[in-house]
Amino acid sequence: MADPALSIVEDASSAARVVADRVEELIRGRPNAVLALPTGRTPLRLYDLLAERYRAGRIDFRSARTFNLDEWVGVGRRAPGSYAAFMDEHLFSRVNLRPENRAIPDGAATDLNAECAGYEERIREAGGIDLAILGIGRNGHIGFNEPGTPFDSRTHVVDVAVETRAANQWSFPDGRVPTRAITVGIATILEAREIVLMATGAAKSAVLRRMLEGPIEPSCPASALRLHPHVQVVADAPSAADLRSRTEAPGR
Ligand code: F6R
């Protein structure tokens, strides 16, 4: 067990640049790399940068594979608010990732348990995840693993916490956020060979402190990442403001 590497940068754009640099480096060295990807507000700038770097010929996603971390239950792939629609808009339509190489749990599946088991199987068949990119919820969730989720959990269906639903209202045009989601498990995330967690904005400062300085326990799912040997936390200055031990990286 090693403490996560902590990079504190000036702002959200700098955080996105640090993570885009890592993705670029990984895919250059390993064109068929397998990435796990988040949705939400945090990675928006990262996806802009990845699209820019693809257009500039700096990153070629042709052989890469992606697995999204989660999807809402009962929301079809094309429905507004689905994470599939989010990914199409913000990344997939802008880079050359092959459709067959980008996986998102199917929240409209009739047999959700079979969908979860099948998703785990697809990750295994792909050779596991090389790099998992994560955001963090204000209650400490990663993916949609809400507080109380066992660290040995695999891909499963969750009841999404009330505060998480409120935080996601912006992405549903009618404001009606589903109550359940499919998420990869904490064990699934911990099996990734490398993990980068992005945190931006003052609203994440308390949870970042809990994650890095509080007890390692299911009440803060993100604390599980401290059990992983290869984790980098990329935080902007506002989100890092509450950390006791801060090592400022040069602003980029
Ligand atoms: C979404 C996901 C979530 C988000 C988290 C933070 O795919 O995995 O864990 O990363 O809810 O969301 P934002 O970035 O909107 O603050």
Side-chain angles (χ1 to χ4, degrees), residues 37-44 47 68-72 83 86-87 133-146 164 167-168 170 183-184 189 197-200 203-204:
L37 297 178
T39 56
R41 290 186 199 271
T42 309
L44 288 173
Y47 294 155
N68 267 78
L69 296 167
D70 37 29
E71 178 60 284
W72 299 103
Y83 284 159
F86 174 101
M87 291 307 296
I133 301 171
L134 310 177
I136 183 169
R138 287 171 64 172
N139 63 3
H141 71 229
I142 46 175
F144 270 156
N145 294 285
E146 300 284 20
T164 305
N168 280 279
W170 64 277
T183 182
V184 298
I189 291 171
L197 181 137
M198 303 176 74
T200 56
K204 300 289 171 69

Side-chain angles (χ1 to χ4, degrees), residues 179-233:
T179 56
R180 293 191 301 159
I182 294 177
T183 182
V184 298
I186 295 178
T188 322
I189 291 171
L190 290 178
E191 280 173 9
R193 286 178 268 283
E194 178 184 348
I195 299 171
V196 173
L197 181 137
M198 303 176 74
T200 56
K204 300 289 171 69
S205 62
V207 74
L208 202 58
R209 179 171 177 174
R210 274 185 74 204
M211 173 201 164
L212 293 172
E213 297 175 3
I216 299 176
E217 57 182 34
S219 65
C220 183
S223 68
L225 301 181
R226 286 157 57 198
L227 302 170
H228 190 284
H230 202 179
V231 176
Q232 183 183 14
V233 174

Side-chain angles (χ1 to χ4, degrees), residues 29-226:
R30 189 176 165 86
N32 60 349
V34 180
L35 307 177
L37 297 178
T39 56
R41 290 186 199 271
T42 309
L44 288 173
R45 180 68 192 133
L46 168 66
Y47 294 155
D48 287 344
L49 284 179
L50 293 181
E52 279 170 26
R53 292 183 188 195
Y54 162 68
R55 283 197 301 273
R58 286 173 60 176
I59 310 184
D60 182 357
F61 291 94
R62 186 177 19 177
S63 306
R65 297 196 57 167
T66 62
F67 286 88
N68 267 78
L69 296 167
D70 37 29
E71 178 60 284
W72 299 103
V73 164
V75 178
R77 288 182 182 273
R78 287 173 209 278
S82 75
Y83 284 159
F86 174 101
M87 291 307 296
D88 279 344
E89 178 181 349
H90 294 289
L91 186 66
F92 296 159
S93 62
R94 306 161 82 191
V95 299
N96 64 338
L97 263 165
R98 291 203 166 107
E100 64 272 25
N101 284 351
R102 42 199 213 205
I104 301 184
D106 180 4
T110 42
D111 184 340
L112 292 172
N113 289 332
E115 175 62 19
C116 293
Y119 205 68
E120 285 281 331
E121 189 53 35
R122 286 173 77 182
I123 293 173
R124 250 193 308 278
E125 280 169 9
I129 293 162
D130 291 305
L131 173 64
I133 301 171
L134 310 177
I136 183 169
R138 287 171 64 172
N139 63 3
H141 71 229
I142 46 175
F144 270 156
N145 294 285
E146 300 284 20
T149 308
F151 286 176
D152 63 358
S153 55
R154 320 280 338 178
T155 301
H156 61 292
V157 176
V158 292
D159 291 323
V160 179
V162 173
E163 63 264 35
T164 305
R165 293 180 62 220
N168 280 279
Q169 215 157 12
W170 64 277
S171 60
F172 285 87
D174 62 4
R176 292 169 57 180
V177 184
T179 56
R180 293 191 301 159
I182 294 177
T183 182
V184 298
I186 295 178
T188 322
I189 291 171
L190 290 178
E191 280 173 9
R193 286 178 268 283
E194 178 184 348
I195 299 171
V196 173
L197 181 137
M198 303 176 74
T200 56
K204 300 289 171 69
S205 62
V207 74
L208 202 58
R209 179 171 177 174
R210 274 185 74 204
M211 173 201 164
L212 293 172
E213 297 175 3
I216 299 176
E217 57 182 34
S219 65
C220 183
S223 68
L225 301 181
R226 286 157 57 198

Side-chain angles (χ1 to χ4, degrees), residues 5-7 9 14-16 18-19 196-200 232-236 239:
L6 175 62
S7 307
V9 294
S14 307
V18 171
V19 181
V196 173
L197 181 137
M198 303 176 74
T200 56
Q232 183 183 14
V233 174
V234 182
D236 69 355
S239 72

